[in-house]
Amino acid sequence: MASLSNLARLSVLLLLLVFLVQPIWFEPLLRPLVQANAPAIYNRGSLFWLTILHLRTVFIATVAATVVAVSLAILVTRKAGAEFLPLSRSLVNIGQTFPPVAVLALAVPIFGFGEKPTLIALFLYGLLPIFENALTGLTTLPPAVMEAARGAGMTERQQLLKIELPLALPVILTGIRLSVVISLATATIGSTVAAKTLGEVIIAGLQSNNLAFVLQGGLIVAVLAVLIHDALQGLERALSSRAHV
C-alpha cells in the first residue's frame, strides 16, 4: 500500500514537472475552458520560473519564521525566560490577528512593491503554528530521559542540543509543515503588490475572465501543497520512529 502511495506521489510530481516545462502539451485539455481566440495556456511569463520564485518566497519566510519561533519557544521554556511566555504568545498571534492583505497594505508604504511585503506577511502568518508546536515539543519531553541527562552531568546547553531539540523535532516539524502549507496558499496574494508568485497567473485569469489561467495557478499551488505536506509528514514519521528506538 505504501509503495502504491509513493508511486502515485511520484507520478503526480512528474506530471507537474512536465506541465511546468511543456504546458503547451496540455492545451487541448484546457481549451474548452476559454472563449474563442483566448489563450488556454498562461502566456505572460514562464510557469516554471513563477513556481520557482513562489517556492523561494515561501522557503525564505518559513526559515525566518522557524528561527524566530523556535528561539522564542526555547527562551520561554528556560527558567530565566518563563515570564516572557504571555508576551511571546501575544507576539506570534499578531500574524493570525492581522489578515495578510492588511499586512501587505501596511508594509508596501514602508518597503515598496515587490517581494519584501509578501515575505513579511508570510513570516508573521507562519509564526504561530511553529511556536506552539515547538513549545509543546519542548514541554512534553519524557521526565525520565531529562532526569537521566541531568544525572549524566550534562549542562543545560548540552541537554538542549543533544536531548531536547532532537526529541522535540518531530513535533516542531509538524508546525513547520502547517506553516508551509498555509504560506503556499497565502503567497499568491503577493502578486497584488508585484511579487513574482503563482498568484500572477490567477490574477491574470480573473482580470481577463480566463478560467484556464485561474485553474492553472490554483492547481499548481494545490499540488505543491499536497506534495510538500506529504513529504514533510513522511519525514516526521521517520524522525518519530528514530526517537522511539
Side-chain angles (χ1 to χ4, degrees), residues 30 33-35 38-44 201-202 204-216:
L30 297 169
L33 300 176
V34 298
Q35 300 172 356
I41 301 296
Y42 183 70
N43 57 357
R44 303 180 190 180
V201 184
I202 298 172
L206 293 173
Q207 289 176 337
S208 60
N209 197 28
N210 189 318
L211 184 58
F213 284 7
V214 176
L215 185 63
Q216 285 164 63

Side-chain angles (χ1 to χ4, degrees), residues 32-167:
L33 300 176
V34 298
Q35 300 172 356
N37 301 321
I41 301 296
Y42 183 70
N43 57 357
R44 303 180 190 180
S46 167
L47 286 173
F48 178 80
W49 284 112
L50 280 176
T51 302
I52 295 296
L53 293 172
H54 189 104
L55 289 173
R56 186 191 70 173
T57 299
V58 171
F59 176 77
I60 294 171
T62 302
V63 168
T66 300
V67 170
V68 172
V70 173
S71 297
L72 278 176
I74 292 171
L75 172 65
V76 299
T77 52
R78 309 303 101 179
K79 288 182 180 178
E83 61 184 297
F84 295 106
L85 177 57
L87 176 61
S88 298
R89 275 217 164 98
S90 297
L91 288 174
V92 299
N93 270 295
I94 290 175
Q96 300 291 326
T97 304
F98 279 88
V101 174
V103 176
L104 289 178
L106 293 170
V108 167
I110 301 171
F111 298 99
F113 288 90
E115 188 180 34
K116 288 182 181 178
T118 307
L119 287 172
I120 293 169
L122 296 183
F123 166 75
L124 292 175
Y125 218 54
L127 284 173
L128 182 61
I130 301 174
F131 174 79
E132 289 295 344
N133 277 270
L135 191 62
T136 300
L138 291 170
T139 55
T140 57
L141 298 170
V145 174
M146 297 307 300
E147 188 62 35
R150 285 189 289 269
M154 284 188 175
T155 64
E156 287 190 6
R157 180 182 178 85
Q158 288 174 327
Q159 289 178 44
L160 175 65
L161 297 178
K162 295 182 178 181
I163 305 295
E164 295 180 57
L165 285 177
L167 288 177

Side-chain angles (χ1 to χ4, degrees), residues 186-230:
T186 308
T188 55
I189 68 169
S191 292
T192 61
V193 293
K196 287 291 183 180
T197 73
L198 288 164
E200 191 173 301
V201 184
I202 298 172
I203 292 171
L206 293 173
Q207 289 176 337
S208 60
N209 197 28
N210 189 318
L211 184 58
F213 284 7
V214 176
L215 185 63
Q216 285 164 63
L219 277 179
I220 294 171
V221 172
V223 171
L224 287 173
V226 170
L227 291 175
I228 293 174
H229 175 279
D230 284 356

